[in-house]
Amino acid sequence: MTTDQVLMGLGLIVVLAVGSQVLASRLRIPALVVLLPVGFTAGALTDTVNPERLLGSTFSPLVSLAVAVILYDAGLGLDLRRFAAHTRRVVVRLLWFGVLVTWASAALLAVPLLGMSSSAAVMLGAIVVVSGPTVVAPLLNFVRPTDRIQRILVWEGSLIDPVGGILGALVFHGVEAGLHHGLGSRLGFFLASAAVGVVGGAVGSAVLFPLLRRLRLGEVLGTTVQLAAVVGVAAACDIIRDDAGLIAAVLMGLAVANLPGADVPARKPFFETLVQLIIGLLFISISATVTPSSLRHVVLPTLGIVAVLVLVTRPVAALVASLRTDLTRGERGFLGWMAPRGIVAASSASTFSVSLVDKGIGGASKILPAAFVVITATVTLYGLTAAPMARWLGVLRSARSRPLLVGGAPWVVDLGKALRSAGLEVVMWAGHEDERKRIAAAGLELAPGELFAAATGAGAELEGLTGVLLLTEEDDFNALAATHLAGSVEGTVYRLAPPVDSEGVVAPYSGGQVLFGAALTGAELTRRHDRGARVLTHHVRGPLPDGTDVLFLVRGDGRLLPMTRTNGPTPQDGDVAVLLG
């Protein structure tokens, strides 16, 4: 290809990846539902976006390293403190029983339905066992199931990718060698690959952790150091054993996220942007390698395999994994209805199928198109049905507001108690120890860790927050926090108004919706509370009491409506008004 063609192809892949993600966000559907058909269509219309022509032999190792970066980011989101015994039991069962039953089901069906040789069928079965954070996390963020089932699925998706990657490499080498090796030697290969990944993860963590803890590199340089460490360790492990770098990447993310003292900010905008871009590029690139002609005799038989995997195999695996646990019937049902295939399945199929075709393995040419159909069908099916299924099974999070109150002044604690008495689940955060003791003494939930970790759900994993109320006595802190949190939390970020004559650094001019009337600044609220005013709740039945200021309204369905400078909701019969009086 000429230089102009390469530039055109690379530019088009990036534009299609980002454009698909933007379109999906506007349509409020998972991005993968758009990425896969867009990549396939682009590959069918032009050879310019075919990554094998653009990058040649470098495409496969680049995909492997890109997946390692994705899995490292997934590891950063795994909090061992939330890996409770029942969660751990279910995840471990899904990792061994779920993998085995899925592998066996897909392999046994591929022989008669797709006309594959047993070797190619075993390879396809090993490829489609994986799920992964690239598909599970966006779907869960879209659906918003209960915390417990979300943690199980996130842990499964993050851990099954490296396991499935190594399993695929093991089967590939066995098929390539004609399966002359016995079970013992293949098991030894698997254990050796796992050992290489564990050692690589330990070494990488031992190098990376002191750098982040002692050098205090800051957000930008700290992110680039993490990226370099993950790519370097994953590449070294893959050189020794295929796909061992995936295990190393997840373990490094786990170590950095859970060892105390690592200087890793809760918000990682550059890293998050990079991972999002990588996911889009990989799905566009890999789906562009699937040709329409290769799908001609594959689609319908593969959909038959998908039907069995979705309707029989996954529910059986979920049922066995949840035996003798306290999961509800609805949680077990949703667990059995969530197993989309992701980027590791796509990258493994792209990598292994070409080599097996070259070696003349019967049916190997159908591995990539069949895997593409499995990925597309499962992502589309689960993406479009997960939300109604969660609603039907009763595992959606409550629609009631769950605000995070930032601050620990006496009037703020009174506000927290008032909102709790109005039926809301209130979470509070404060930086000063005396304020934290005041919150704890009031019996309110206190978020641990740093503010941005609590607000964004990172670190402490405070899932389900619907908004942030910045109520500290420091106007500049409120303003800066509102600026940093905007766009990173679900719902709206509100802050107290600074005094009219404020000469703070940023307070009068920054973003974030300003709470209450013009006279109710933070200083005025503190002054009135010190003089005996209290935060009260009043069930609205006609006019509100005289001499009170409305701070919030809680609707009958649990929605919290703050009074702001730009919006003053009208009290209705049946509301609970939170008043200062």
Side-chain angles (χ1 to χ4, degrees):
M1 298 184 73
T2 65
T3 302
D4 290 345
Q5 289 175 317
V6 172
L7 289 173
M8 176 65 71
L10 294 176
L12 188 57
I13 289 174
V14 173
V15 170
L16 289 175
V18 176
S20 298
Q21 292 170 331
V22 171
L23 176 62
S25 70
R26 301 299 299 171
L27 297 177
R28 295 187 59 79
I29 59 175
L32 302 185
V33 176
V34 180
L35 286 167
L36 290 172
V38 167
F40 172 74
T41 303
L45 295 178
T46 176
D47 291 336
T48 306
V49 296
N50 190 318
E52 294 173 346
R53 294 191 61 197
L54 289 171
L55 303 174
S57 61
T58 62
F59 176 59
S60 180
L62 284 176
V63 169
S64 180
L65 295 179
V67 173
V69 173
I70 293 172
L71 293 182
Y72 172 78
D73 182 65
L76 288 175
L78 299 177
D79 190 344
L80 291 175
R81 293 170 297 177
R82 310 290 286 185
F83 200 31
H86 66 273
T87 303
R88 182 166 58 250
R89 189 180 306 119
V90 175
V91 171
V92 170
R93 289 173 180 173
L94 287 172
L95 289 179
W96 70 267
F97 180 77
V99 166
L100 289 178
V101 72
T102 304
W103 183 17
S105 300
L108 290 173
L109 291 170
V111 173
L113 293 181
L114 290 170
M116 287 182 169
S117 65
S118 59
S119 298
V122 169
M123 186 74 257
L124 177 64
I127 287 172
V128 300
V129 301
V130 295
S131 179
T134 59
V135 286
V136 172
L139 284 177
L140 294 178
N141 291 336
F142 178 75
V143 175
R144 289 175 50 82
T146 55
D147 295 350
R148 180 163 60 174
I149 197 67
Q150 174 154 336
R151 284 196 293 272
I152 291 173
L153 290 167
V154 167
W155 273 95
E156 180 202 8
S158 299
L159 296 180
I160 202 172
D161 266 4
V163 172
I166 289 180
L167 177 63
L170 166 66
V171 173
F172 170 73
H173 288 296
V175 171
E176 194 177 39
L179 294 177
H180 296 310
H181 301 292
L183 177 62
S185 63
R186 293 197 293 273
L187 181 61
F189 179 93
F190 182 86
L191 294 177
S193 298
V196 170
V198 170
V199 171
V203 172
S205 301
V207 173
L208 182 58
F209 187 75
L211 291 176
L212 297 175
R213 183 175 183 177
R214 296 178 183 176
L215 297 186
R216 304 294 178 182
L217 299 172
E219 182 177 304
V220 176
L221 191 56
T223 299
T224 54
V225 166
Q226 292 177 72
L227 183 63
V230 172
V231 170
V233 170
C237 291
D238 283 348
I239 291 172
I240 300 173
R241 289 281 183 176
D242 288 341
D243 288 332
L246 302 184
I247 285 184
V250 170
L251 292 179
M252 289 176 66
L254 268 171
V256 171
N258 291 279
L259 291 176
D263 185 21
V264 180
R267 287 195 68 212
K268 304 175 286 294
F270 173 76
F271 209 93
E272 293 164 0
T273 302
L274 178 64
V275 169
Q276 187 79 0
L277 179 61
I278 288 175
I279 292 172
L281 296 178
L282 288 181
F283 275 105
I284 291 290
S285 300
I286 293 175
S287 57
T289 63
V290 181
T291 62
S293 60
S294 68
L295 293 174
R296 187 168 302 152
H297 303 294
V298 172
V299 174
L300 290 179
T302 306
L303 289 178
I305 296 175
V306 171
V308 174
L309 293 178
V310 170
L311 299 176
V312 180
T313 304
R314 178 63 181 189
V316 169
L319 177 63
V320 172
S322 59
L323 287 175
R324 297 182 180 179
T325 66
D326 58 352
L327 292 183
T328 65
R329 181 177 298 179
E331 289 172 331
R332 295 182 185 189
F334 190 74
L335 187 63
W337 192 256
M338 184 55 64
R341 273 58 180 180
I343 193 61
V344 172
S347 62
S348 297
S350 176
T351 301
F352 298 143
S353 62
V354 176
S355 298
L356 295 181
V357 169
D358 292 340
K359 292 193 174 292
I361 301 297
S365 61
K366 298 179 181 179
I367 291 177
L368 179 58
F372 175 79
V373 173
V374 171
I375 295 168
T376 304
T378 56
V379 167
T380 303
L381 176 65
Y382 292 127
L384 298 179
T385 63
M389 181 64 73
R391 190 178 302 110
W392 181 64
L393 293 170
V395 295
L396 286 177
R397 291 180 192 168
S398 172
R400 301 183 71 83
S401 295
R402 190 189 186 204
L404 173 67
L405 277 60
V406 178
W411 76 267
V412 179
V413 176
D414 275 0
L415 173 61
K417 292 191 292 184
L419 293 175
R420 183 179 61 183
S421 70
L424 301 185
E425 184 181 353
V426 178
V427 183
M428 299 193 67
W429 183 92
H432 298 295
E433 186 60 28
D434 59 334
E435 294 180 338
R436 298 177 70 84
K437 290 180 179 178
R438 186 181 296 125
I439 293 170
L444 296 165
E445 182 179 352
L446 181 62
E450 62 174 285
L451 170 60
F452 296 132
T456 60
E461 287 197 5
L462 292 172
E463 299 98 338
L465 294 176
T466 57
V468 180
L469 306 175
L470 297 165
L471 308 173
T472 75
E473 298 175 346
E474 298 292 336
D475 296 321
D476 281 331
F477 173 87
N478 294 338
L480 288 169
T483 301
H484 281 278
L485 289 173
S488 299
V489 297
E490 298 183 26
T492 309
V493 179
Y494 300 92
R495 65 184 178 95
L496 289 175
V500 177
D501 56 350
S502 172
E503 296 182 358
V505 178
V506 296
Y509 311 107
S510 67
Q513 291 210 38
V514 179
L515 288 167
F516 314 139
L520 287 181
T521 64
E524 177 63 16
L525 286 163
T526 299
R527 185 187 66 80
R528 290 178 60 174
H529 191 272
D530 290 343
R531 293 186 176 184
R534 291 295 177 264
V535 181
L536 311 169
T537 57
H538 173 76
H539 292 271
V540 178
R541 295 288 188 275
L544 296 177
D546 295 332
T548 61
D549 292 292
V550 180
L551 304 181
F552 299 90
L553 294 176
V554 180
R555 296 295 194 203
D557 59 1
R559 287 181 297 126
L560 179 65
L561 303 179
M563 303 294 290
T564 68
R565 292 281 180 89
T566 58
N567 181 36
T570 303
Q572 301 173 0
D573 287 349
D575 289 350
V576 176
V578 180
L579 310 172
L580 180 69

